[in-house]
Amino acid sequence: MNFTKIVLGASLLGTALGSFSCSQQSKEAPATASASTYFAQDSTGGVQTGGVQVVPVTTPKGTFNVWTKRFGNNPRIKLLLLNGGPGATHEYFECMESFLPAEGIEFIYYDQLGCGNSDTPKDTAMWSLPRYVEEVEQVRQALHLDKHNFYLLGHSWGGILAAEYAFKYQQNLKGLIISNMMMSCPDYGKYADNVLAKQMKPEVLAEIRQIEAKKDFSNPRYMGLLEPNFYAEHLCRIVPNPEPITRAMSKINQSLYVTMQGPSEFGISGKLTNWDRTKDLPKLSVPVLSIGGKYDTMDPEHMRWIATQVQNGTALTCPQGSHMSMYDDQQTYMKGLTKFILGVDKGEKKVAL
């Protein structure tokens, strides 16, 4: 689902934001936005923190703090980003800064519990999908996000979390983006075995399977084989990886990752092994964008299929992209993402990309 070891100009912004229509502003906001309104300081007064807000989250094991950071200000469009891994950090989303501000899209970095700048409990019982859903709901409430402005983007494991959140709380959403994630972990495992594994050299695959059979995952040879033969083909096709990816993956929480995903991206063997929501997709009425990459670890046809199963679906396939399509097919990814969000803001349920 994610990836161990893969581990604005102001004038342009002002022009882009100045062209915003009334339909893209809140009733209280002026008809024409500007760079000054997008980058406005917090009007509540007090010490400015650059958009950082630490949110206390209540859990069965006590209260913990999670870290968020708002970038920009648009009362109508607030995009909360759910990172993958599980256990990576918000940092690989930093590429969004080169694209979303020019479209006037406010976005919010968020390190889930156990990730990045947030608290890191040692109890693996905390690594639970239902608990993470309730965490997202508490974050939503603290940040005052609602059905009039709340867009949720989940990438990889974050896509599972975003989907699961929507199944329970879609009444709070304005739009949902599932990025580079299938809606069935058993099907994800089959795709790895039946399609991606067969693309490897037989001798490479045989050695990988031998190491896996021995559960010798700490053997450096394991990642030594996977990185050039699998990760560089299907996780991120830019080698060496862009710096934000390398930085985010260097901080991955291995306890969280292994507990939920298993020892590597090559298939799945953790708590999420049997997760499957394919039959529930028709229950989603909120506008949904499903993004996939041609060379993804996930089946691109399955990800296109997701858009046909929800009530208001849009599909985006990045023809040069892998699991990190926001980098290795960046223009396709960002153009589709922004067009979807702005289309939904105008009242479109299904956006033509």
Side-chain angles (χ1 to χ4, degrees), residues 161-351:
L161 179 54
E164 203 66 30
Y165 177 87
F167 284 123
K168 187 170 184 180
Y169 292 113
Q170 69 173 319
Q171 69 273 14
N172 299 327
L173 287 169
K174 191 172 181 179
L176 173 67
I177 300 99
I178 305 296
S179 178
N180 306 87
M181 188 65 229
M182 296 166 67
M183 288 296 100
S184 168
C185 285
D187 288 349
Y188 160 41
K190 291 176 184 176
Y191 185 70
D193 289 340
N194 299 335
V195 178
L196 300 184
K198 294 178 180 179
Q199 296 175 10
M200 291 185 179
K201 295 178 181 177
E203 62 273 19
V204 171
L205 179 61
E207 189 173 355
I208 289 173
R209 294 308 193 200
Q210 287 173 2
I211 295 173
E212 291 177 337
K214 296 176 183 177
K215 298 188 182 299
D216 188 16
F217 300 113
S218 61
N219 186 335
R221 180 64 176 165
Y222 186 56
M223 291 307 302
L225 290 167
L226 284 176
E227 285 178 345
N229 294 287
F230 185 75
Y231 284 39
E233 294 291 327
H234 303 294
L235 268 293
C236 183
R237 294 169 69 83
I238 302 173
V239 181
N241 298 153
E243 193 275 341
I245 298 179
T246 302
R247 179 160 31 98
M249 295 312 115
S250 71
K251 301 176 183 179
I252 199 162
N253 182 335
Q254 288 292 332
S255 168
L256 174 51
Y257 180 85
V258 174
T259 299
M260 300 293 279
Q261 161 75 20
S264 81
E265 290 300 305
F266 192 28
I268 185 166
S269 58
K271 280 186 177 181
L272 295 170
T273 299
N274 297 317
W275 182 82
D276 189 327
R277 283 290 211 159
T278 52
K279 293 181 179 179
D280 296 317
L281 288 171
K283 297 177 182 178
L284 294 180
S285 59
V286 63
V288 175
L289 173 64
S290 178
I291 306 176
K294 179 180 178 180
Y295 302 100
D296 211 318
T297 54
M298 307 290 164
D299 181 357
E301 291 305 315
H302 178 108
M303 290 182 283
R304 290 192 67 85
W305 172 83
I306 290 171
T308 70
Q309 299 304 296
V310 298
Q311 295 177 37
N312 295 293
T314 299
L316 173 65
T317 299
C318 300
Q320 304 302 319
S322 68
H323 200 55
M324 299 296 285
S325 295
M326 71 279 289
Y327 282 96
D328 50 23
D329 199 348
Q330 194 165 74
Q331 296 299 322
T332 301
Y333 186 102
M334 294 299 178
K335 182 179 178 181
L337 173 62
T338 56
K339 190 172 183 180
F340 172 78
I341 292 174
L342 297 179
V344 173
D345 183 62
K346 294 175 184 176
E348 299 174 25
K349 294 290 187 180
K350 297 183 180 182
V351 181

Side-chain angles (χ1 to χ4, degrees), residues 42-179:
D42 187 340
S43 60
T44 60
V47 175
Q48 299 295 311
T49 61
V52 171
Q53 181 175 340
V54 175
V55 177
V57 173
T58 302
T59 79
K61 301 286 186 175
T63 300
F64 298 90
N65 291 323
V66 298
W67 179 95
T68 71
K69 178 181 173 68
R70 175 176 60 83
F71 197 102
N73 175 40
N74 184 338
R76 292 182 66 96
I77 303 176
K78 299 176 183 292
L79 176 66
L80 183 66
L81 302 171
L82 303 182
N83 62 259
T89 78
H90 75 280
E91 291 164 287
Y92 71 84
F93 284 128
E94 287 174 354
C95 58
M96 301 287 183
E97 296 177 26
S98 297
F99 297 89
L100 301 190
E103 301 293 344
I105 296 172
E106 173 185 330
F107 57 101
I108 302 163
Y109 295 133
Y110 158 35
D111 282 337
Q112 302 148 32
L113 191 64
C115 300
N117 299 322
S118 295
D119 286 349
T120 306
K122 303 304 180 185
D123 188 348
T124 57
M126 299 293 290
W127 315 145
S128 159
L129 180 54
R131 194 210 60 75
Y132 272 113
V133 169
E134 298 311 312
E135 176 181 315
V136 173
E137 173 60 7
Q138 292 183 59
V139 169
R140 179 197 70 81
Q141 294 178 20
L143 300 182
H144 307 293
L145 311 177
D146 59 41
K147 64 182 180 180
H148 302 294
N149 57 30
F150 180 25
Y151 295 80
L152 184 62
L153 184 155
H155 173 255
S156 194
W157 140 256
I160 290 179
L161 179 54
E164 203 66 30
Y165 177 87
F167 284 123
K168 187 170 184 180
Y169 292 113
Q170 69 173 319
Q171 69 273 14
N172 299 327
L173 287 169
K174 191 172 181 179
L176 173 67
I177 300 99
I178 305 296
S179 178

